[in-house]
PDB file of all heavy atoms in Angstrom:
ATOM      1  N   TYR L   4      41.607   5.705-149.558  1.00  0.00           N
ATOM      2  CA  TYR L   4      42.496   5.597-148.410  1.00  0.00           C
ATOM      3  C   TYR L   4      43.551   4.576-148.795  1.00  0.00           C
ATOM      4  O   TYR L   4      43.363   3.379-148.623  1.00  0.00           O
ATOM      5  CB  TYR L   4      41.743   5.143-147.166  1.00  0.00           C
ATOM      6  CG  TYR L   4      40.557   6.025-146.841  1.00  0.00           C
ATOM      7  CD1 TYR L   4      39.278   5.672-147.266  1.00  0.00           C
ATOM      8  CD2 TYR L   4      40.738   7.201-146.131  1.00  0.00           C
ATOM      9  CE1 TYR L   4      38.201   6.475-146.973  1.00  0.00           C
ATOM     10  CE2 TYR L   4      39.658   8.011-145.844  1.00  0.00           C
ATOM     11  CZ  TYR L   4      38.393   7.640-146.262  1.00  0.00           C
ATOM     12  OH  TYR L   4      37.335   8.431-145.964  1.00  0.00           O
ATOM     13  N   GLN L   5      44.623   5.052-149.374  1.00  0.00           N
ATOM     14  CA  GLN L   5      45.636   4.142-149.862  1.00  0.00           C
ATOM     15  C   GLN L   5      47.005   4.592-149.399  1.00  0.00           C
ATOM     16  O   GLN L   5      47.228   5.759-149.081  1.00  0.00           O
ATOM     17  CB  GLN L   5      45.623   4.079-151.402  1.00  0.00           C
ATOM     18  CG  GLN L   5      44.292   3.567-151.964  1.00  0.00           C
ATOM     19  CD  GLN L   5      44.342   3.473-153.459  1.00  0.00           C
ATOM     20  OE1 GLN L   5      45.408   3.427-154.045  1.00  0.00           O
ATOM     21  NE2 GLN L   5      43.181   3.453-154.095  1.00  0.00           N
ATOM     22  N   LYS L   6      47.938   3.644-149.405  1.00  0.00           N
ATOM     23  CA  LYS L   6      49.299   3.941-148.977  1.00  0.00           C
ATOM     24  C   LYS L   6      49.948   4.928-149.935  1.00  0.00           C
ATOM     25  O   LYS L   6      49.895   4.781-151.140  1.00  0.00           O
ATOM     26  CB  LYS L   6      50.135   2.660-148.917  1.00  0.00           C
ATOM     27  CG  LYS L   6      51.565   2.923-148.456  1.00  0.00           C
ATOM     28  CD  LYS L   6      52.344   1.639-148.358  1.00  0.00           C
ATOM     29  CE  LYS L   6      53.766   1.910-147.890  1.00  0.00           C
ATOM     30  NZ  LYS L   6      54.554   0.671-147.779  1.00  0.00           N
ATOM     31  N   LEU L   7      50.582   5.959-149.388  1.00  0.00           N
ATOM     32  CA  LEU L   7      51.338   6.917-150.167  1.00  0.00           C
ATOM     33  C   LEU L   7      52.805   6.576-150.040  1.00  0.00           C
ATOM     34  O   LEU L   7      53.343   6.544-148.940  1.00  0.00           O
ATOM     35  CB  LEU L   7      51.085   8.332-149.658  1.00  0.00           C
ATOM     36  CG  LEU L   7      51.822   9.444-150.403  1.00  0.00           C
ATOM     37  CD1 LEU L   7      51.264   9.588-151.798  1.00  0.00           C
ATOM     38  CD2 LEU L   7      51.696  10.756-149.648  1.00  0.00           C
ATOM     39  N   THR L   8      53.473   6.304-151.112  1.00  0.00           N
ATOM     40  CA  THR L   8      54.887   5.961-151.059  1.00  0.00           C
ATOM     41  C   THR L   8      55.725   7.205-151.247  1.00  0.00           C
ATOM     42  O   THR L   8      55.258   8.248-151.719  1.00  0.00           O
ATOM     43  CB  THR L   8      55.237   4.941-152.152  1.00  0.00           C
ATOM     44  OG1 THR L   8      55.088   5.572-153.432  1.00  0.00           O
ATOM     45  CG2 THR L   8      54.323   3.731-152.078  1.00  0.00           C
ATOM     46  N   THR L   9      56.994   7.109-150.888  1.00  0.00           N
ATOM     47  CA  THR L   9      57.877   8.260-151.010  1.00  0.00           C
ATOM     48  C   THR L   9      58.123   8.637-152.459  1.00  0.00           C
ATOM     49  O   THR L   9      58.618   9.719-152.752  1.00  0.00           O
ATOM     50  CB  THR L   9      59.212   7.968-150.323  1.00  0.00           C
ATOM     51  OG1 THR L   9      59.755   6.780-150.884  1.00  0.00           O
ATOM     52  CG2 THR L   9      59.025   7.765-148.838  1.00  0.00           C
ATOM     53  N   ALA L  10      57.792   7.728-153.379  1.00  0.00           N
ATOM     54  CA  ALA L  10      57.989   8.039-154.787  1.00  0.00           C
ATOM     55  C   ALA L  10      56.901   8.951-155.324  1.00  0.00           C
ATOM     56  O   ALA L  10      57.050   9.564-156.370  1.00  0.00           O
ATOM     57  CB  ALA L  10      58.032   6.753-155.609  1.00  0.00           C
ATOM     58  N   GLN L  11      55.785   9.077-154.598  1.00  0.00           N
ATOM     59  CA  GLN L  11      54.689   9.913-155.055  1.00  0.00           C
ATOM     60  C   GLN L  11      54.933  11.355-154.647  1.00  0.00           C
ATOM     61  O   GLN L  11      55.662  11.633-153.693  1.00  0.00           O
ATOM     62  CB  GLN L  11      53.378   9.396-154.468  1.00  0.00           C
ATOM     63  CG  GLN L  11      53.004   8.024-155.046  1.00  0.00           C
ATOM     64  CD  GLN L  11      51.918   7.363-154.243  1.00  0.00           C
ATOM     65  OE1 GLN L  11      51.919   7.437-153.031  1.00  0.00           O
ATOM     66  NE2 GLN L  11      51.000   6.692-154.925  1.00  0.00           N
ATOM     67  N   PRO L  12      54.332  12.311-155.351  1.00  0.00           N
ATOM     68  CA  PRO L  12      54.615  13.725-155.068  1.00  0.00           C
ATOM     69  C   PRO L  12      54.174  14.106-153.673  1.00  0.00           C
ATOM     70  O   PRO L  12      53.176  13.631-153.159  1.00  0.00           O
ATOM     71  CB  PRO L  12      53.805  14.464-156.136  1.00  0.00           C
ATOM     72  CG  PRO L  12      52.743  13.496-156.561  1.00  0.00           C
ATOM     73  CD  PRO L  12      53.368  12.144-156.449  1.00  0.00           C
ATOM     74  N   ALA L  13      54.907  15.008-153.055  1.00  0.00           N
ATOM     75  CA  ALA L  13      54.625  15.437-151.690  1.00  0.00           C
ATOM     76  C   ALA L  13      53.567  16.511-151.646  1.00  0.00           C
ATOM     77  O   ALA L  13      52.908  16.693-150.648  1.00  0.00           O
ATOM     78  CB  ALA L  13      55.907  15.937-151.025  1.00  0.00           C
ATOM     79  N   ALA L  14      53.416  17.281-152.721  1.00  0.00           N
ATOM     80  CA  ALA L  14      52.441  18.358-152.698  1.00  0.00           C
ATOM     81  C   ALA L  14      51.975  18.639-154.118  1.00  0.00           C
ATOM     82  O   ALA L  14      52.749  18.557-155.068  1.00  0.00           O
ATOM     83  CB  ALA L  14      53.045  19.615-152.087  1.00  0.00           C
ATOM     84  N   CYS L  15      50.699  18.968-154.266  1.00  0.00           N
ATOM     85  CA  CYS L  15      50.142  19.312-155.569  1.00  0.00           C
ATOM     86  C   CYS L  15      49.373  20.614-155.441  1.00  0.00           C
ATOM     87  O   CYS L  15      49.053  21.062-154.345  1.00  0.00           O
ATOM     88  CB  CYS L  15      49.205  18.208-156.056  1.00  0.00           C
ATOM     89  SG  CYS L  15      50.014  16.609-156.234  1.00  0.00           S
ATOM     90  N   GLN L  16      49.035  21.224-156.589  1.00  0.00           N
ATOM     91  CA  GLN L  16      48.256  22.443-156.559  1.00  0.00           C
ATOM     92  C   GLN L  16      46.820  22.143-156.145  1.00  0.00           C
ATOM     93  O   GLN L  16      46.305  21.048-156.365  1.00  0.00           O
ATOM     94  CB  GLN L  16      48.271  23.104-157.944  1.00  0.00           C
ATOM     95  CG  GLN L  16      49.660  23.570-158.373  1.00  0.00           C
ATOM     96  CD  GLN L  16      50.202  24.626-157.438  1.00  0.00           C
ATOM     97  OE1 GLN L  16      49.485  25.537-157.038  1.00  0.00           O
ATOM     98  NE2 GLN L  16      51.463  24.491-157.057  1.00  0.00           N
ATOM     99  N   LEU L  17      46.154  23.145-155.552  1.00  0.00           N
ATOM    100  CA  LEU L  17      44.755  22.971-155.194  1.00  0.00           C
ATOM    101  C   LEU L  17      43.924  22.757-156.437  1.00  0.00           C
ATOM    102  O   LEU L  17      44.155  23.365-157.471  1.00  0.00           O
ATOM    103  CB  LEU L  17      44.254  24.218-154.451  1.00  0.00           C
ATOM    104  CG  LEU L  17      44.885  24.477-153.083  1.00  0.00           C
ATOM    105  CD1 LEU L  17      44.389  25.796-152.538  1.00  0.00           C
ATOM    106  CD2 LEU L  17      44.526  23.362-152.147  1.00  0.00           C
ATOM    107  N   GLU L  18      42.940  21.863-156.326  1.00  0.00           N
ATOM    108  CA  GLU L  18      42.071  21.574-157.458  1.00  0.00           C
ATOM    109  C   GLU L  18      40.636  22.011-157.204  1.00  0.00           C
ATOM    110  O   GLU L  18      39.865  22.162-158.141  1.00  0.00           O
ATOM    111  CB  GLU L  18      42.103  20.072-157.773  1.00  0.00           C
ATOM    112  CG  GLU L  18      43.474  19.600-158.226  1.00  0.00           C
ATOM    113  CD  GLU L  18      43.487  18.127-158.516  1.00  0.00           C
ATOM    114  OE1 GLU L  18      42.447  17.474-158.289  1.00  0.00           O
ATOM    115  OE2 GLU L  18      44.510  17.627-158.965  1.00  0.00           O
ATOM    116  N   GLU L  19      40.266  22.233-155.941  1.00  0.00           N
ATOM    117  CA  GLU L  19      38.895  22.617-155.667  1.00  0.00           C
ATOM    118  C   GLU L  19      38.688  24.088-156.042  1.00  0.00           C
ATOM    119  O   GLU L  19      39.469  24.953-155.671  1.00  0.00           O
ATOM    120  CB  GLU L  19      38.551  22.429-154.176  1.00  0.00           C
ATOM    121  CG  GLU L  19      38.502  20.985-153.740  1.00  0.00           C
ATOM    122  CD  GLU L  19      39.860  20.468-153.320  1.00  0.00           C
ATOM    123  OE1 GLU L  19      40.857  21.122-153.643  1.00  0.00           O
ATOM    124  OE2 GLU L  19      39.910  19.394-152.698  1.00  0.00           O
ATOM    125  N   GLU L  20      37.635  24.340-156.757  1.00  0.00           N
ATOM    126  CA  GLU L  20      37.345  25.717-157.150  1.00  0.00           C
ATOM    127  C   GLU L  20      36.999  26.530-155.923  1.00  0.00           C
ATOM    128  O   GLU L  20      36.143  26.176-155.125  1.00  0.00           O
ATOM    129  CB  GLU L  20      36.184  25.734-158.150  1.00  0.00           C
ATOM    130  CG  GLU L  20      35.868  27.142-158.660  1.00  0.00           C
ATOM    131  CD  GLU L  20      34.768  27.115-159.692  1.00  0.00           C
ATOM    132  OE1 GLU L  20      34.389  26.005-160.117  1.00  0.00           O
ATOM    133  OE2 GLU L  20      34.291  28.197-160.078  1.00  0.00           O
ATOM    134  N   GLY L  21      37.687  27.629-155.760  1.00  0.00           N
ATOM    135  CA  GLY L  21      37.400  28.530-154.657  1.00  0.00           C
ATOM    136  C   GLY L  21      37.968  28.100-153.334  1.00  0.00           C
ATOM    137  O   GLY L  21      37.676  28.724-152.329  1.00  0.00           O
TER     138      GLY L  21
END
Side-chain angles (χ1 to χ4, degrees):
Y4 305 96
Q5 299 182 20
K6 181 178 180 180
L7 180 69
T8 67
T9 56
Q11 292 166 320
C15 300
Q16 295 298 317
L17 294 175
E18 296 179 356
E19 292 87 344
E20 183 177 351

